[in-house]
Amino acid sequence: EVQLVQSGAEVKKPGESLKISCKASGYSFANYWIGWVRQTPGKGLEWMAIIYPGDSDTRYSPSFEGQVTISADKSTATAYLQWSRLKASDTAMYFCARPMYSGTYYSSFDIWGQGTMVTISS
Amino acid sequence: DIVMTQTPLSLPVTPGESASISCRSSQSLLESDGGYTSLDWYLQKPGQSPQLLIYTLSYRASGVPDRFSGSGSGTDFTLKISRVEAEDVGVYYCMQRMEFPGTFGPGTRVDL
């Protein structure tokens, strides 16, 4: 079964760092792009960044460039999203997602992780 | 970014009846090199992740019942649910993937 399993909920303070994960199974991790989507009550669903684990090629949404870092580890079939200095506005649900077709991110996303809730509060 | 809008934002439904959701994009989603439309529909059921319902305008994703259908062209699109069932409640999103980053509509909340 193809699935993405995300790390658990996090509660952090402003200024702290954080790295959340998305572990893939059931398919060839290196051959599919994998991305992160943020969900907030105010702005809804927003694409943040996407990575091709095969060669670590990355794309960032202009809204998130410089704010987060996406990475992937082929040896553990895991994608990551990290922050160096969290802000209260980073409070959100974060989903990882994989497209239907290998080798392209211009594709519908049919596999989603269960979500990781991140809460930033002093 | 391509801006996606949806109407209505809230849609009360009655089981057994049909329902329609409209989505509009700020520019055409017709791909000139392939002749297909880069518009998808997702459903987020309460407490769950979004799930792909319709891709490339009108193709049902694996396991999606045939009471769901997608149509439209250019910048105007429609998701239709015929014979609504109780399990169809949730928030429906359209999403364009013609340009990166893909952008979602604000969502239409469907409830009984």
Side-chain angles (χ1 to χ4, degrees):
Chain A
E1 180 192 6
V2 176
Q3 61 178 352
L4 301 174
V5 178
Q6 298 183 227
S7 50
E10 301 275 1
V11 179
K12 291 286 191 178
K13 290 180 167 44
E16 291 185 335
S17 63
L18 176 64
K19 193 173 189 177
I20 60 175
S21 66
C22 171
K23 184 169 178 57
S25 61
Y27 72 95
S28 177
F29 180 69
N31 294 340
Y32 286 78
W33 289 80
I34 187 165
W36 290 92
V37 174
R38 185 175 79 173
Q39 185 170 36
T40 58
K43 294 189 175 183
L45 294 165
E46 302 172 277
W47 272 105
M48 301 176 69
I50 196 161
I51 188 167
Y52 188 70
D55 60 7
S56 295
D57 190 9
T58 59
R59 301 283 187 276
Y60 287 91
S61 164
S63 300
F64 293 94
E65 180 106 49
Q67 309 303 308
V68 296
T69 302
I70 190 172
S71 60
D73 182 343
K74 287 188 291 185
S75 69
T76 59
T78 303
Y80 299 94
L81 186 67
Q82 68 181 78
W83 296 258
S84 58
R85 290 187 61 83
L86 289 158
K87 298 176 283 188
S89 57
D90 294 319
T91 295
M93 179 69 82
Y94 293 87
F95 295 100
C96 59
R98 192 212 77 169
M100 289 176 70
Y101 301 116
S102 62
T104 177
Y105 55 82
Y106 284 102
S107 170
S108 315
F109 286 76
D110 65 336
I111 306 296
W112 291 70
Q114 83 277 18
T116 295
M117 184 67 210
V118 174
T119 304
I120 312 303
S121 175
S122 54
Chain B
D1 290 1
I2 297 176
V3 177
M4 306 297 290
T5 56
Q6 290 180 232
T7 55
L9 298 183
S10 180
L11 181 62
V13 296
T14 301
E17 296 192 344
S18 65
S20 289
I21 300 169
S22 294
C23 171
R24 178 168 289 179
S25 57
S26 60
Q27 63 189 70
S28 176
L29 301 184
L30 177 63
E31 300 277 1
S32 57
D33 60 349
Y36 57 88
T37 300
S38 295
L39 186 281
D40 303 326
W41 290 94
Y42 293 84
L43 165 61
Q44 187 173 27
K45 295 184 177 182
Q48 296 186 17
S49 314
Q51 61 185 81
L52 182 65
L53 275 183
I54 302 288
Y55 64 96
T56 315
L57 183 66
S58 60
Y59 296 89
R60 280 186 298 277
S62 177
V64 174
D66 61 6
R67 63 177 183 276
F68 291 93
S69 62
S71 63
S73 63
T75 61
D76 290 283
F77 314 101
T78 302
L79 176 71
K80 183 175 180 179
I81 314 170
S82 60
R83 306 181 307 279
V84 169
E85 297 188 5
E87 66 181 23
D88 300 337
V89 300
V91 182
Y92 290 78
Y93 298 93
C94 58
M95 191 200 91
Q96 69 79 20
R97 52 181 172 80
M98 184 164 182
E99 292 184 352
F100 182 83
T103 46
F104 293 88
T108 296
R109 183 173 299 278
V110 172
D111 51 26
L112 301 178

